[in-house]
Amino acid sequence: MSTAVVGVVGAGQLARMMQQAAVGLDIHVRVLAATPHDSAAQVCPDVVVGPIAEELPAFAATCDVVTFDHELVDPDALATAADAGHLLHPGPEALRFAQDKGYQRETFAQAGLPLPAYAIVADVEEAAAFAARAGWPLVLKSPLGGYDGRGVEVVESQGALERVWARLAPGPLLVEEHIDLRAEFAVLVARRPSGEAVTYPLVETVQEEGILTRSRVPAAFPDDVVERAHEIGFAVAEVVGAVGILAVELFFDGDRVLVNEVATRPHNSGHWTIEGAMTSQFANHLRGVLDWPLGDTRLTAPAVATANVLGPHDGSDPRTRMADALAVRGVGIHLYGKEARPGRKLGHVTATGATAGESMTAARHCVAILRGEPLDE
């Protein structure tokens, strides 16, 4: 018999990689999938298919603990499962920090965490009043339901504000100062209910059109900036009551380290840990939700780089070029079993090396092969 049964709500690529991490720990993973074609449903032998909100309470009753591939789960279904005594990690209150950006901002502000200037506004007039104080451009966000840049707009003027408001409304919406970014990075915190918590080395990330496309570890910043980022990560984990992996996305403007967003589950910014850390974020997430001792988060190489594989513009499938891509040394390839579409996130590659430049060059070279693109000189 397996040591434990962990239920995963949602069957995307995160659940798929949790399944891979579970094998060596002899953890039995059950997946609650929306369709049998979902990424994790293709590789996990124990899959329940059905509407997540309807199936969750009964699904939770068959598991030792339930965790999540994504946070977009109906709050009423979460409450029903929790009220029935089923163990959810993270729980409904922790998930709310990722589900509701307005609640997140208000709670973090009360806790004294560093944030961009923000306001929750009911109409265009209140948003314009905020812009008069903070200056243009400003950032307008839907508090509920947004991810990977969805529901987030940079607004340059009053006219643009009115057009964007009409698209995102009805309110209330979250409005924030626009940060003049020097860099974006992320802190991954692994935490267990009994209180043990560890962080991974700071990750520098590159976002394009709201989607994280590549990252490198360790982030090339002064020690005091790195230390501050880790302090913020631990503080956020305490406020959230995180269990398993918590990803804290951070802005850096040259002076301030500010909280951007959080994810209360394994995160794109931590995919590098499969090859690049002694214990992957997926293994530590499983350990955390089961309240098992957490694993070593040190690097396996001096430098690690990850690049996402997005669907080529011509609609071709990167899987047809897998053999050529495998010839790139020092690179791990992870494809998610998704149908190829232009711009769709289909997988990622991670390269380890002696320097940041060496590892990033290898990662991008491998992605170019998979996408059928000319190689950089």
Side-chain angles (χ1 to χ4, degrees), residues 91-215:
E93 187 63 26
L95 285 166
R96 188 179 175 191
F97 283 92
Q99 293 173 331
D100 186 339
K101 293 183 177 69
Y103 172 78
Q104 176 201 119
R105 282 294 190 253
E106 296 283 77
T107 307
F108 286 176
Q110 291 171 12
L113 291 165
L115 304 169
Y118 77 94
I120 298 173
V121 295
D123 52 39
V124 170
E125 289 71 25
E126 289 186 4
F130 176 87
R133 300 190 301 271
W136 300 95
L138 54 81
V139 180
L140 204 60
K141 298 181 178 181
S142 297
L144 303 174
Y147 67 99
D148 277 353
R150 295 173 178 84
V152 178
E153 298 279 353
V154 177
V155 179
E156 302 281 349
S157 66
Q158 177 72 30
L161 171 62
E162 293 173 359
R163 291 192 296 274
V164 171
W165 187 279
R167 186 162 66 248
L168 296 181
L173 299 180
L174 181 65
V175 61
E176 296 183 352
E177 67 170 309
H178 186 266
I179 305 298
D180 185 12
L181 288 176
R182 177 177 165 187
E184 295 181 69
F185 37 72
V187 173
L188 294 172
V189 182
R191 189 171 181 269
R192 53 191 288 214
S194 58
E196 181 189 8
V198 296
T199 63
Y200 286 85
L202 189 65
V203 187
E204 185 175 358
T205 62
V206 175
Q207 317 282 333
E208 296 176 353
E209 297 182 358
I211 299 175
L212 192 157
T213 57
R214 57 189 184 274
S215 62

